[in-house]
Amino acid sequence: MKDALGAFVPGTDVRVQGSAEGPLSGLSFAVKDLFDVAGHVTGCGNPDWAESHAPAESHAWAVRTLLDAGASVAGKTITDEISLGLVGINRHHGTPVNPRARDLVPGGSSSGSASAVAGGVVDFALGTDSGGSVRTPASFCGLYGLRPTHGRIPVEGLMTQAPSFDTVGYFTRDAGMFARVGSVLLGETIGEDLPPGILVATDCFGIADAAVTDALRPVLDRLRAVVPETRDCRLADDGAIADWSRHQLVLQSTEFQDTFRDWIDRVNPRFSSEVAGAFASDGTVPAEVVESAKAFRIAARERLEGLLDGKRVLCLPTAPIPPIRRDARLSEIRRAVSRVIDLTAIAGLTGSPQVNLPFGWAGGIPIGLSLIGWHGGDAALIGMAKAMEPLLRSKVALPLC
Amino acid sequence: MKDALGAFVPGTDVRVQGSAEGPLSGLSFAVKDLFDVAGHVTGCGNPDWAESHAPAESHAWAVRTLLDAGASVAGKTITDEISLGLVGINRHHGTPVNPRARDLVPGGSSSGSASAVAGGVVDFALGTDSGGSVRTPASFCGLYGLRPTHGRIPVEGLMTQAPSFDTVGYFTRDAGMFARVGSVLLGETIGEDLPPGILVATDCFGIADAAVTDALRPVLDRLRAVVPETRDCRLADDGAIADWSRHQLVLQSTEFQDTFRDWIDRVNPRFSSEVAGAFASDGTVPAEVVESAKAFRIAARERLEGLLDGKRVLCLPTAPIPPIRRDARLSEIRRAVSRVIDLTAIAGLTGSPQVNLPFGWAGGIPIGLSLIGWHGGDAALIGMAKAMEPLLRSKVALPLC
């Protein structure tokens, strides 16, 4: 396969023809190499994982559903190792190109899927999002991206990372395709309605870089003009928004250490230093810290659901920083990941659906705006994206490569 | 190069002809891939290290000295990644075969050098020993091996790991060769004299597996017969012998984290999970812990030098365990390393010379006996090995492969 973007897993050529008829007939999609495609090893971004696992016997639920709807698999895309990472650097398989910012990272862990969609190689792509792995690359590559309500789209046939966080998401370049694919994965009709109310999370904007807030200010201004019921709010009623990521990290890392413990012990796998660092604590988090994080998660869900009240959406930057350079040092990667999680932890912790809207630009670099919806409000969120696109998307022509 | 043992670095073929005349004329030796050989990249057991370093401009001091003495370089041997490891498993380059126990590890980090010597591929081989990297593979592969007095043999042209622990050592199959090579590296005449006195470290034997003590008991019995001034002693006058390894690990890891910090930050290198674990603490050892370890080291040196008094040697098992299986799990590897350091930390912390004597056997598996000498007593230690060989080495024929 010709792969100028380095988006696909090296040495693989995975193609599956979709059904002859269906709502996605004639479309092509890429599959993050975390989903099973029958007959192929699901490599999960790590050669030692690939070597220690047999080929999948059947398609993952999401892959099968999209094939049944008429779309065809065009290949399997690079993921950050075992889905741990948010910048999109994979030291084994390479870092996929961000077609909208070639010197910068594509974001991860669904890096290759975002790269392939942004570069126009496929019509859409499947990703996964446990701690921000669809939202971050969608923001960095200027794409529509959904992290659904936790549990809304089946994770069957997907590598488990952290079960109470894992979700199936996807990327598209425009809102029409976003709605077409969403309708199939959710099994719901997608409307085209602006939200009745928007809460702009001032504390989330408050921890973002100036480059991000400057890029999103004109978008917010247009948003206020088209949705009169837009008002400011603080998400964290007491304490700092950074508390959310601290608790998310405790719970997510406790879960993924449980997930991978036996495999690591058996295989002694090779990881980049970035990913190895995620296992440094070796699961030795005190039980009371875990319990405290679980209590915080319950309160956080109640807080957010209360604010949204089944009709409003929370508006925030998807990531508080622009994409970093592809040749960033490990310490810069770690700082960036830590910054990004500060905002992606919100929907991670609450299990809420979130869409990235590719409406911001900072000197040609994509800056994503996010809407977080109420539990089960996935189709409504996608419909809002569709309604907003003609009103809010930059009129600047966006180059595709 | 034909390499049935998998001892040499894959994809390399490094040969250098030695001087026409000299005390080692006609002999061949292998070089652990931590030493510079002019014109070749010193790979240090990690492909990301190799990729980020230029070829060496000149030979390391030890390589040059042996070439000048007439020996020829036959190849560069596999090392545990950046010399961090004691069992000899390298997930990038493979685990060299232990010719004396093919299902078991060869020991590390000078794994390939020990394998090549034990397998009869070369006459002798260079290794390095910071925390046990010559002594452990010498014990596991049934070889003579020297860790010299710290600072006695120049480390010029050697990858730095932990400067206050790094030493240049070597392996041979018999005591005659041990003396010939030692004489060149030390620039001293090697005699053939039994030690005037031996202190059997009962606390060191006390923490060894029964398989080890059972294998060494008949050797100790013969030793007592030939050296009348052999008596028992406790090395640790107060506290446990395990305190020594705890302090060694604090100091050695603080040093090697300093050594590799910038390279890791720049390259984000891939490590096996075993080696990545060595960087888990990220150098965050409290200053008072380091100071306490430094004070312990001074006291430990005084204690040992006082016991030996420039004439006696300390006798102990080289490793408290036999070699583990090649397919051991990570947790078994970590437990083995932790056990081995309990004894290798003694000469590491005190900077004393130590020789492994291949005198013990447990069902065909080599079990090494060690002598630790006084500072600067390297040549005397080697002379003792030579005097002991005909008296103490098992009469059982040892198969070479």
Side-chain angles (χ1 to χ4, degrees):
Chain A
M1 181 194 307
K2 193 176 153 294
D3 181 19
L5 298 169
F8 294 90
V9 181
T12 67
D13 187 5
V14 177
R15 293 159 197 267
V16 188
Q17 185 68 37
S19 297
E21 291 187 18
L24 304 180
S25 178
L27 299 180
S28 68
F29 70 108
V31 178
K32 184 182 189 178
D33 196 18
L34 232 54
F35 291 89
D36 285 349
V37 172
H40 299 273
V41 172
T42 307
C44 301
N46 181 285
D48 293 325
W49 183 280
E51 209 177 280
S52 56
H53 285 81
E57 292 183 1
S58 53
H59 298 315
W61 181 92
V63 172
R64 194 168 68 237
T65 300
L66 295 167
L67 287 167
D68 288 348
S72 296
V73 173
K76 297 199 81 174
T77 49
I78 293 174
T79 166
D80 287 28
E81 295 181 63
I82 55 173
S83 78
L84 299 179
L86 287 173
V87 300
I89 289 172
N90 184 314
R91 292 284 283 117
H92 307 285
H93 296 151
T95 303
V97 169
N98 181 339
R100 301 266 167 72
R102 289 178 166 266
D103 293 337
L104 309 183
V105 296
S109 65
S110 310
S111 56
S113 285
S115 172
V117 174
V121 178
V122 290
D123 295 306
F124 66 96
L126 281 174
T128 69
D129 190 315
S130 302
S133 286
V134 162
R135 293 165 286 164
T136 312
S139 179
F140 287 4
C141 290
L143 298 171
Y144 291 88
L146 172 73
R147 174 197 163 91
T149 303
H150 184 260
R152 180 65 185 81
I153 301 180
V155 292
E156 186 218 309
L158 174 66
M159 182 204 81
T160 298
Q161 190 224 88
S164 80
F165 296 96
D166 295 347
T167 67
V168 170
Y170 67 100
F171 304 95
T172 71
R173 286 183 295 277
D174 63 61
M177 185 69 74
F178 198 47
R180 282 177 74 184
V181 177
S183 175
V184 167
L185 287 173
L186 296 169
E188 283 189 68
T189 306
I190 308 290
E192 188 171 344
D193 298 300
L194 289 171
I198 294 177
L199 300 174
V200 177
T202 52
D203 45 357
C204 296
F205 277 91
I207 61 169
D209 282 5
V212 170
T213 51
D214 288 352
L216 296 180
R217 191 169 299 117
V219 185
L220 280 184
D221 290 345
R222 294 199 295 274
L223 200 60
R224 288 179 213 277
V226 298
V227 180
E229 289 299 311
T230 297
R231 60 180 175 83
D232 289 353
C233 87
R234 274 179 58 87
L235 173 61
D237 53 347
D238 58 347
I241 192 68
D243 285 348
W244 294 51
S245 59
R246 190 162 51 78
H247 293 299
Q248 154 101 14
L249 284 171
V250 165
L251 295 175
Q252 189 185 348
S253 71
T254 303
E255 288 189 19
F256 72 63
Q257 301 225 26
D258 281 349
T259 300
F260 297 118
R261 183 170 291 113
D262 184 69
W263 172 68
I264 289 175
D265 193 41
R266 188 162 44 84
V267 171
N268 186 14
R270 291 162 288 177
F271 292 123
S272 70
S273 296
E274 179 200 352
V275 176
F279 295 98
S281 80
D282 201 21
T284 50
V285 181
E288 61 268 26
V289 173
V290 175
E291 289 314 309
S292 154
K294 283 182 177 169
F296 186 95
R297 169 156 68 177
I298 291 167
R301 286 183 182 187
E302 284 173 1
R303 164 81 181 155
L304 183 59
E305 286 293 295
L307 283 173
L308 304 186
D309 196 23
K311 59 191 179 201
R312 283 182 289 267
V313 293
L314 191 78
C315 176
L316 69 164
T318 304
I321 56 167
I324 61 173
R325 291 184 58 83
R326 289 169 67 84
D327 60 0
R329 282 180 164 251
L330 179 56
S331 48
E332 296 168 315
I333 295 170
R334 289 187 166 145
R335 209 153 43 230
V337 169
S338 171
R339 292 285 310 279
V340 170
I341 292 175
D342 277 344
L343 292 183
T344 57
I346 297 165
L349 209 54
T350 59
S352 312
Q354 180 174 349
V355 288
N356 179 72
L357 307 173
F359 294 168
W361 299 92
I365 296 167
I367 303 290
L369 185 74
S370 264
L371 301 179
I372 295 179
W374 57 92
H375 271 238
D378 308 68
L381 269 187
I382 297 170
M384 292 172 204
K386 204 171 171 189
M388 286 180 182
E389 182 174 62
L391 304 169
L392 295 173
R393 201 171 192 183
S394 167
K395 299 297 180 289
V396 178
L398 304 176
L400 284 185
C401 50
Chain B
M1 181 194 305
K2 191 175 155 298
D3 181 19
L5 298 169
F8 294 91
V9 181
T12 66
D13 187 3
V14 177
R15 292 161 196 266
V16 188
Q17 185 68 37
S19 297
E21 291 188 17
L24 306 179
S25 178
L27 299 180
S28 69
F29 69 108
V31 179
K32 184 181 190 179
D33 196 18
L34 233 53
F35 291 88
D36 286 350
V37 172
H40 300 273
V41 171
T42 307
C44 301
N46 181 285
D48 294 324
W49 182 281
E51 209 177 279
S52 57
H53 286 82
E57 292 183 2
S58 53
H59 297 316
W61 182 91
V63 172
R64 193 168 69 237
T65 300
L66 294 167
L67 287 168
D68 288 348
S72 295
V73 172
K76 296 199 82 174
T77 49
I78 293 174
T79 166
D80 287 28
E81 297 182 62
I82 56 174
S83 75
L84 299 179
L86 287 174
V87 299
I89 289 172
N90 184 313
R91 292 285 282 120
H92 308 285
H93 295 151
T95 302
V97 169
N98 181 340
R100 301 264 168 72
R102 289 179 166 263
D103 293 337
L104 309 182
V105 296
S109 66
S110 310
S111 56
S113 285
S115 172
V117 175
V121 178
V122 289
D123 294 305
F124 66 95
L126 280 173
T128 70
D129 191 313
S130 302
S133 285
V134 163
R135 292 166 287 165
T136 312
S139 179
F140 286 5
C141 290
L143 298 171
Y144 291 87
L146 171 74
R147 172 194 165 93
T149 304
H150 184 260
R152 180 65 184 78
I153 300 179
V155 293
E156 185 218 309
L158 174 65
M159 183 204 79
T160 297
Q161 190 224 88
S164 79
F165 297 96
D166 296 346
T167 66
V168 170
Y170 67 100
F171 304 95
T172 70
R173 287 184 295 278
D174 63 61
M177 185 69 74
F178 198 47
R180 280 178 75 184
V181 176
S183 174
V184 168
L185 287 172
L186 296 169
E188 284 186 69
T189 305
I190 308 289
E192 189 172 340
D193 298 298
L194 290 172
I198 294 177
L199 302 174
V200 177
T202 53
D203 45 357
C204 297
F205 278 91
I207 62 169
D209 281 5
V212 170
T213 51
D214 288 351
L216 296 180
R217 190 168 301 117
V219 184
L220 281 184
D221 290 344
R222 294 198 295 273
L223 200 60
R224 288 179 214 276
V226 297
V227 180
E229 289 298 310
T230 298
R231 60 179 175 84
D232 289 351
C233 87
R234 274 179 59 87
L235 174 60
D237 52 348
D238 56 347
I241 193 68
D243 285 348
W244 294 51
S245 60
R246 190 163 51 77
H247 293 299
Q248 153 103 13
L249 282 171
V250 165
L251 296 175
Q252 190 185 348
S253 70
T254 303
E255 288 188 21
F256 73 63
Q257 300 226 25
D258 282 348
T259 300
F260 297 117
R261 183 170 291 114
D262 184 71
W263 172 68
I264 289 174
D265 193 43
R266 185 160 48 81
V267 171
N268 185 15
R270 291 162 288 179
F271 291 122
S272 71
S273 295
E274 178 199 352
V275 176
F279 295 98
S281 79
D282 201 22
T284 50
V285 181
E288 61 269 27
V289 173
V290 175
E291 288 315 308
S292 153
K294 283 182 178 168
F296 186 95
R297 170 156 68 176
I298 291 167
R301 287 183 181 186
E302 284 172 2
R303 163 84 181 152
L304 184 58
E305 287 294 296
L307 283 173
L308 304 186
D309 195 23
K311 58 191 179 202
R312 284 183 288 267
V313 293
L314 191 79
C315 176
L316 69 165
T318 304
I321 56 168
I324 61 173
R325 290 184 59 82
R326 289 170 66 86
D327 60 1
R329 282 181 164 251
L330 179 56
S331 48
E332 295 168 314
I333 295 170
R334 288 189 166 143
R335 208 154 43 233
V337 168
S338 169
R339 293 285 309 279
V340 170
I341 292 175
D342 277 344
L343 292 184
T344 57
I346 298 166
L349 208 54
T350 57
S352 312
Q354 180 174 349
V355 289
N356 180 70
L357 307 172
F359 293 167
W361 299 90
I365 296 167
I367 302 290
L369 184 74
S370 263
L371 301 179
I372 295 180
W374 58 92
H375 272 239
D378 308 68
L381 270 186
I382 298 170
M384 293 172 205
K386 205 171 169 189
M388 286 180 181
E389 182 174 62
L391 303 170
L392 295 173
R393 202 170 192 185
S394 166
K395 300 296 179 290
V396 179
L398 304 176
L400 283 186
C401 49

